[in-house]
Amino acid sequence: MGRKLSIFTTLAVGTAAYFITKKVLSDHQEQIKEKVAQIADEGRENAVRYYNHARDYVNEGSGLQDTLNELKQKVADTAETFKSGDSVGQALSSLKEATTELRKQFDKEKDTESDDTVEDDIIIDGRSAFGEAKAAAEFEKDHPTEVFYPKD
């Protein structure tokens, strides 16, 4: 029974919302169309304005073009040095050496760890949790909570 009631209620509310929305939109349809057109026009104007600013900046900046050409040349030179493969080979060989050194160190650590005795003792400091709670309760007795708002 509850499921049928909830389905009926959902359908009734949905239908009512549809008709109310249709009525409101039909009354204000022209205003909505004008508002959407106005927002679209403002967006186009902003896009054209930013495009013009960007175009003027690129056209005025001859130094920008020189900087761009220098950057392209630098990237091409760096690519040529990597293409020769000397530095890449050196980097790979040093990486392999470092990896073998780390493996040796880890193996050494495993050996020394198995030799050491592991301590299983639990060490508790002077105060236990109950002692801390008792101290907090005693502090509350000595310093009661103060009420700052007016009592009447």
Side-chain angles (χ1 to χ4, degrees), residues 2 9 18 22 28 32 37 62 67 72-73 86 94 102 114 116:
T9 306
Y18 171 75
K22 189 174 181 179
H28 301 288
I32 294 171
S62 62
T67 306
K72 285 181 184 178
Q73 186 63 35
D86 295 336
S94 67
L102 278 174
S114 62
D116 294 340

Side-chain angles (χ1 to χ4, degrees), residues 28-48:
H28 301 288
Q29 192 170 9
E30 290 300 320
Q31 293 174 348
I32 294 171
K33 284 182 182 179
E34 289 175 9
K35 186 68 174 177
V36 169
Q38 179 185 2
I39 291 172
D41 289 341
E42 289 175 1
R44 285 188 202 107
E45 289 173 5
N46 287 335
V48 168

Side-chain angles (χ1 to χ4, degrees), residues 72-129:
K72 285 181 184 178
Q73 186 63 35
K74 187 185 246 185
V75 168
D77 293 342
T78 306
E80 286 296 323
T81 58
F82 282 131
K83 211 181 257 187
S84 66
D86 295 336
S87 60
V88 174
Q90 290 173 353
L92 286 175
S93 65
S94 67
L95 180 65
K96 288 178 184 177
E97 290 174 10
T99 304
T100 55
E101 288 177 14
L102 278 174
R103 283 186 184 148
K104 289 177 185 176
Q105 186 176 359
F106 285 141
D107 291 338
K108 187 187 298 181
E109 287 291 325
K110 285 181 184 177
D111 293 340
T112 58
E113 184 177 303
S114 62
D115 294 342
D116 294 340
T117 59
V118 179
E119 294 184 16
D120 292 335
D121 298 337
I122 299 174
I123 300 172
I124 299 176
D125 59 350
R127 287 191 151 200
S128 66

